[in-house]
Amino acid sequence: MTPSVADAVNAFLDDAALRFSPRTVRSYGQDLEAFRQWLDDRGVYDLDALSTRDVRMHASDLLAKGAAKSSVARRLSCLRTFLRFCAERGWVRQVMAEHVRLPKQDRRLPRYLHEEEVAALIDHVTGDDFVALRDRALLEFLYATGVRVSECVHLDIGDLDLSAGFARVLGKGGRERYVMVGRRAVEALRRYLPLRDRMARCSAVFINRRGGRLTDRSVRRVLERRIQEVPGLRAIHVHGLRHSFATHMLNGGADLRSVQELLGHASLSSTQIYTHTSREQLARAYYAAHPRARRGTQGRESSDDGI
């Protein structure tokens, strides 16, 4: 016998509690309860009366009421997982879950700093005390390598090879990769590390004043404080230094696949968001490279009104 929507939701949540985190289960419960109430308003109480059209109409209603595409996509992802659970038990047809399509997301361009803004930010950090040397090394390292903040704070002393200009980082999914550490970052690290070695109570490269490992939140506070110290500098999230790294690498002529490797992206499509070079830069590159488009050259065809 096919259960009601409410009973199926309860069964799904009981099963999810064994496989997912409490936070995920709570989120599933909220999304499914909202969907169940939406179905109740339309007189749909049993699973055998549910159709893919109902799911699509629910998504359309959410969008019409101003819900963000990301929120609707999350809701549909939950419903698809729920329908797959129901299909495995023979309560609905398997094809129902597969016909749930997520809305195409609007990819927002990441916020980043221009090269002169990065220079202003980092060069503003001066001094020979521990905090100044650490903050300078931290900002130089983040910008030089493009690593994620989580990768930066988990970096250990044994992961650095300053003589070769490399660092080993552990990225998403436990994937290990090597990133290059530029000259300025190496110099900043060499000034910072002697103080770090005297104070450290752990193996972390970047530590706090008590000798413990910096956290993601600590790095965010360092960046926020240093940005506020530079008059007129635009505020960015700490991930903005990673965006700046990728943007400046591509603008400087690096190929997309090299940047993908340095960023640790599993898919090239993740890296393509950074190909937001300005129209002016594209125009300069085009007119400098295309033999039939160079401005002011003899190769350009002249107009002839007598044709």
Side-chain angles (χ1 to χ4, degrees):
M1 180 178 176
T2 304
S4 66
V5 174
D7 288 342
V9 166
N10 289 333
F12 170 77
L13 293 176
D14 289 342
D15 180 76
L18 302 175
R19 298 186 291 123
F20 302 114
S21 70
R23 182 177 180 180
T24 299
V25 175
R26 186 166 57 251
S27 177
Y28 280 162
Q30 292 169 348
D31 288 344
L32 289 172
E33 176 59 20
F35 181 57
R36 188 195 64 76
Q37 290 180 1
W38 184 88
L39 291 174
D40 280 355
D41 292 342
R42 284 151 185 80
V44 179
Y45 307 106
D46 298 321
L47 274 182
D48 55 11
L50 182 65
S51 68
T52 307
R53 183 171 179 271
D54 292 319
V55 178
R56 291 172 180 163
M57 287 180 62
H58 179 54
S60 296
D61 279 1
L62 290 172
L63 290 170
K65 292 176 180 177
K69 286 185 178 180
S70 57
S71 297
V72 176
R74 189 204 70 238
R75 180 76 60 88
L76 289 177
S77 178
C78 169
L79 292 178
R80 187 159 60 182
T81 303
F82 168 66
L83 290 173
R84 283 173 178 162
F85 170 85
C86 294
E88 289 169 1
R89 283 147 186 80
W91 297 340
V92 299
R93 291 178 300 135
Q94 181 70 37
V95 72
M96 280 189 66
E98 306 311 320
H99 281 179
V100 176
R101 296 285 184 265
L102 304 185
K104 188 173 181 179
Q105 298 293 299
D106 295 326
R107 302 194 73 182
R108 292 180 294 177
L109 294 180
R111 294 191 66 181
Y112 67 99
L113 295 177
H114 297 296
E115 293 179 39
E116 60 273 16
E117 291 176 312
V118 173
L121 170 65
I122 296 177
D123 292 342
H124 191 81
V125 183
T126 57
D128 295 324
D129 61 289
F130 168 77
V131 172
L133 292 176
R134 182 204 62 194
D135 290 1
R136 174 90 182 215
L138 175 64
L139 296 176
E140 287 276 20
F141 183 81
L142 286 169
Y143 177 58
T145 61
V147 297
R148 301 175 179 91
V149 176
S150 59
E151 296 168 345
C152 178
V153 298
H154 285 99
L155 193 74
D156 289 335
I157 285 294
D159 297 325
L160 285 179
D161 186 348
L162 296 185
S163 60
F166 284 94
R168 181 181 61 220
V169 298
L170 193 64
K172 287 186 176 180
R175 292 188 295 271
E176 185 180 275
R177 74 182 188 281
Y178 286 85
V179 295
M180 288 176 284
V181 185
R183 177 179 58 85
R184 296 281 185 87
V186 168
E187 292 172 354
L189 284 164
R190 289 194 188 280
R191 291 194 296 272
Y192 156 70
L193 289 177
L195 281 180
R196 176 261 170 215
D197 293 343
R198 292 201 293 269
M199 299 174 59
R201 294 188 292 104
C202 64
S203 59
V205 172
F206 296 105
I207 61 173
N208 56 38
R209 281 177 283 196
R210 297 182 298 276
R213 187 183 297 271
L214 280 185
T215 64
D216 292 30
R217 180 177 296 180
S218 300
V219 175
R220 287 197 296 271
R221 286 201 296 261
V222 168
L223 179 64
E224 289 169 1
R225 183 176 70 251
R226 294 304 183 179
I227 283 179
Q228 289 173 0
E229 293 173 353
V230 183
L233 190 61
R234 293 179 298 128
I236 59 166
H237 188 270
V238 68
H239 215 58
L241 287 178
R242 179 171 162 89
H243 299 328
S244 302
F245 162 84
T247 301
H248 300 165
M249 287 288 291
L250 290 169
N251 286 352
D255 66 273
L256 200 60
R257 289 203 176 274
S258 296
V259 176
Q260 175 194 0
E261 290 293 325
L262 291 171
L263 290 173
H265 284 161
S267 169
L268 190 63
S269 62
S270 300
T271 316
Q272 288 173 332
I273 188 69
Y274 294 107
T275 57
H276 54 90
T277 311
S278 69
R279 291 182 180 179
E280 292 77 10
Q281 288 172 310
L282 289 173
R284 284 196 296 271
Y286 174 77
Y287 284 114
H290 197 292
R292 301 284 288 181
R294 293 169 187 158
R295 289 170 173 165
T297 64
Q298 296 299 317
R300 187 172 56 192
E301 294 179 1
S302 61
S303 61
D304 188 345
D305 293 337
I307 292 177

